[in-house]
Amino acid sequence: MSGPEQVATGVQLDPDRIETVELILDLSQAMTANLCAAAREHGLTPPQARAVLGLGAPAPMRDLANHLSCDKSHVTGLVDGLERLGLVDRQPDPRDRRVRHLVLTPAGQRVRDQLRVRLYVDAPAVGNLTPTEEEQLRALLRRALQPTD
Amino acid sequence: MSGPEQVATGVQLDPDRIETVELILDLSQAMTANLCAAAREHGLTPPQARAVLGLGAPAPMRDLANHLSCDKSHVTGLVDGLERLGLVDRQPDPRDRRVRHLVLTPAGQRVRDQLRVRLYVDAPAVGNLTPTEEEQLRALLRRALQPTD
DNA sequence: TATTGTTATACTCTATAACTATA
DNA sequence: TATAGTTATAGAGTATAACAATA
């Protein structure tokens, strides 16, 4: 569905810019699909996998909700599932008894490690670049994402 | 401090690689958020906006389902909404009366043009690069996404 | 028999609001 | 009064399966 530009009705857009945007979206989509496949292989839904990835250190449920950009009520169900799978424990905070700290179990740590290998080491496409090229790519992306003055 | 190593469970990953992947995901997420905001401003849901973007040329509903990587039954409801908004028409195929061709109305074309401006011209971050830098970025991304030899 | 699109149904993801138990 | 987490509920988004019309 990417035929020639409809000049009569379409706006004039820079084809180079279109390619840039499409390349970034394509790469991101490949990475996301790769992560979702890894999640399935571990019996996790994609949101559960993101939660596990976010638990590099113990954190209150509120913090995880912030990290996932979702409501705290949603985290309850997410963590219920991870607890049933034996990947996460809820631990009380001795200083504030309202708070529950989410802590990965050893099994949870292993799953997280494997998800990170899939997301980072087995990252699709990026591994095709040499280290030098990858550094050039990082430099350009950093500059692009830098807040404008 | 001679206790057991507290983070001994984590695998060691290349921090540079992690940064590369995070940068790509961040940039893609900014672009997606920008598109979703544009969709909202036009009274469209994000999937509806993606459908409009996919209709650069008239196409059967099955083709749109392929383009959106979703089931054809889902396209029915999506297009129902766009038809109610006056952005899309269903037109019969004279050669095969099972097929309905989806055609953007003039209003639909205008919405598509504006979505494309938001997605491509107003692309967040990429506009911070010079044309030369953007070409370097494209070259690297193209090489990364190229199927491995 | 196979395919296009629709309908009916159900499941996942996520939000809002009301509730509890703390603080 | 305000906050952390839970529960109940509702609404998108999407899939599967059965179906109708057509090929």
Side-chain angles (χ1 to χ4, degrees):
Chain A
M1 214 153 303
S2 53
E5 204 58 34
Q6 289 190 329
V7 182
T9 45
V11 171
Q12 179 72 16
L13 300 176
D14 178 4
D16 285 341
R17 170 58 61 81
I18 293 178
E19 190 194 2
T20 307
V21 171
E22 294 299 335
L23 283 166
I24 290 162
L25 293 179
D26 285 353
L27 189 46
S28 162
Q29 198 262 341
M31 287 171 171
T32 300
N34 181 43
L35 177 61
C36 289
R40 255 197 320 278
E41 290 162 22
H42 288 283
L44 301 180
T45 66
Q48 282 176 331
R50 289 178 203 280
V52 168
L53 283 171
L55 288 174
M61 301 187 68
R62 185 68 154 113
D63 289 4
L64 184 57
N66 275 339
H67 179 257
L68 299 176
S69 303
C70 75
D71 191 84
K72 55 193 160 69
S73 67
H74 186 226
V75 173
T76 296
L78 228 45
V79 169
D80 284 349
L82 294 175
E83 210 172 26
R84 252 181 268 116
L85 291 168
L87 304 182
V88 168
D89 277 340
R90 285 170 161 101
Q91 293 184 355
D93 182 328
R95 308 194 186 288
D96 185 340
R97 287 189 304 197
R98 295 172 300 182
V99 174
R100 311 217 127 190
H101 287 276
L102 302 175
V103 185
L104 288 183
T105 63
Q109 293 273 9
R110 284 194 296 274
V111 169
R112 179 168 185 272
D113 287 345
Q114 289 169 342
L115 291 175
R116 283 162 62 83
V117 167
R118 280 293 281 273
L119 183 58
Y120 298 123
V121 182
D122 303 337
V126 175
N128 292 344
L129 300 179
T130 67
T132 302
E133 288 171 329
E134 199 184 319
E135 172 52 37
Q136 291 168 348
L137 176 59
R138 271 194 301 281
L140 288 166
L141 292 172
R142 261 189 238 113
R143 218 179 92 63
L145 279 164
Q146 222 158 26
T148 40
D149 310 314
Chain B
M1 303 283 286
S2 55
E5 187 74 29
Q6 199 166 13
V7 280
T9 43
V11 287
Q12 27 178 310
L13 301 174
D14 178 5
D16 284 341
R17 171 58 62 82
I18 292 178
E19 190 194 1
T20 307
V21 170
E22 294 299 335
L23 283 167
I24 290 161
L25 294 178
D26 285 353
L27 188 47
S28 162
Q29 197 261 341
M31 288 170 170
T32 300
N34 181 43
L35 177 61
C36 289
R40 260 185 103 127
E41 291 161 22
H42 288 282
L44 300 180
T45 65
Q48 283 176 331
R50 288 178 203 281
V52 168
L53 283 171
L55 288 174
M61 302 186 65
R62 161 185 43 86
D63 287 6
L64 184 57
N66 276 339
H67 176 74
L68 299 176
S69 301
C70 75
D71 192 84
K72 55 193 161 70
S73 67
H74 186 226
V75 173
T76 297
L78 228 45
V79 169
D80 285 349
L82 294 174
E83 212 173 23
R84 252 181 269 117
L85 292 169
L87 304 182
V88 167
D89 275 342
R90 285 169 160 102
Q91 292 185 357
D93 181 329
R95 310 198 179 284
D96 183 340
R97 286 188 303 193
R98 295 171 301 181
V99 174
R100 307 293 202 93
H101 287 275
L102 302 176
V103 184
L104 289 182
T105 63
Q109 293 275 8
R110 283 193 297 274
V111 169
R112 180 169 183 271
D113 286 346
Q114 289 169 344
L115 291 175
R116 284 163 61 83
V117 167
R118 281 293 283 271
L119 183 58
Y120 297 123
V121 181
D122 303 336
V126 175
N128 292 344
L129 300 179
T130 67
T132 302
E133 289 171 329
E134 197 184 320
E135 172 51 38
Q136 291 168 348
L137 176 59
R138 268 193 303 281
L140 289 166
L141 292 173
R142 261 189 238 114
R143 221 179 90 64
L145 280 163
Q146 214 169 308
T148 36
D149 318 312

